[in-house]
Amino acid sequence: MPTNVTAEYLAAEEEYRNAKTIPEKIRALEKMYATVPKHKGTEKLRLQIKRKLAELRKELEKQRQMRKGGGGPSMAVRKEGAAQIVLAGLPNVGKSSLLKALTNVDADVADYAFTTVQPIPGMMHHKDVQIQLVEVPGLVEGAALGKGMGPQLLSVIRNADAIAIVVDLSQNPVKQMEILLREFERAGIKVNKRKPRVEIKRTAMGGIVINGQENIKGDIQEVMKMLREERIHSAEITVKEPVTLEEFADAIDESLVWRRAIIIANKGDAPGSKENYEKLVKAYGDRFKIIPISAKKGINLDKLKDELYDLAGIIRVFTKSPGEEPAYPPVALKKGSTVMDLAERIHKDFAKNFRYARVWGKSVKFPGQRVGADHVLEDGDIVEIHAR
């Protein structure tokens, strides 16, 4: 135990010792982690707290699955369109009005909390593609620890491709974000954070082999301990960038998901919204793109559609046959997709018998350039695939 911990830390540690339930232990450990001084001498302590938190979250989920025979009623929403983005926020922030304005879906809209009790999907047509938006019922403080239908709702959020966090500018948006980000963290959702570049290839035998060990900033014995706790006993691990022990722990934790997100600042026409928007930008403007709107009055929705399209992380690629005009509609692919990804999407025979492709657009140096299967495409490219 380091001797220079704060009184707040000691109080949280006492709270942890007296905790009887897993949610109580998680709350106490979160306080300990938040109050422990951050320096070289407390590195192992912070790591121990973080690993214990991860262990307790997994145990809580396991208990919930056993108690409810598989976690209770499923709220899963089947993915459709080019990407799935969830609209997540506290109750009564205007998610239903926003979904209706963006997709024309028939959603109940009312000025009281919990109007929505099930996830509601809708399709937003923008830039020639369909993006699925899913309104998630309002989250509450303690959702990830079992309050209400919190775990099921957070499962829907974990499964989505990206998150649009909706806050109400007529209330305290900074406080809303604090609650939501805490629940996301508890649910193992890393928002607008990049997963450390640690590659793990499990092997049948040979023990643990670590390439790039010099990139690990910390005791290698702690690394081996973490691997054992994650039941990784034989694997080739490549550390591609400098990482702390905590970052390494995140990289090997398979229960974590990493999601891009933006903030939709709704009710921008309400009294006091300008001041609240400025507070929101000051607190979260460095980490999130923030789009002020009014769903009720239709203000700034075209800008929001552009931002949601960007958040989806997709590109539009047009296909054509030799001597013909490009086909419509375009094929939607994830950013970074190659010509082979496109060929596989069109038909397995195109991929199997692929020879080369000709491309017109931003990804090539001149129109009709001949490229191979691994050529990376860009938004708006036109591709002509030649197969055997």
Side-chain angles (χ1 to χ4, degrees), residues 168-181:
D168 179 353
L169 287 180
S170 71
Q171 305 296 324
N172 183 343
V174 175
K175 179 65 175 175
Q176 294 171 57
M177 285 298 299
E178 288 172 357
I179 293 171
L180 291 166
L181 291 179

Side-chain angles (χ1 to χ4, degrees), residues 272-319:
S273 62
K274 185 175 184 296
E275 294 77 10
N276 282 335
Y277 174 72
E278 289 170 355
K279 291 175 184 176
L280 183 65
V281 170
K282 184 177 180 181
Y284 292 102
D286 290 341
R287 182 175 168 190
F288 293 89
K289 188 171 286 187
I290 304 172
I291 303 93
I293 67 154
S294 170
K296 191 173 183 180
K297 295 191 176 180
I299 298 171
N300 215 24
L301 294 187
D302 286 340
K303 166 72 172 171
L304 175 58
K305 287 182 179 181
D306 287 339
E307 295 296 347
L308 288 169
Y309 176 86
D310 186 59
L311 178 66
I314 55 179
I315 59 172
R316 300 159 301 163
V317 177
F318 295 85
T319 60

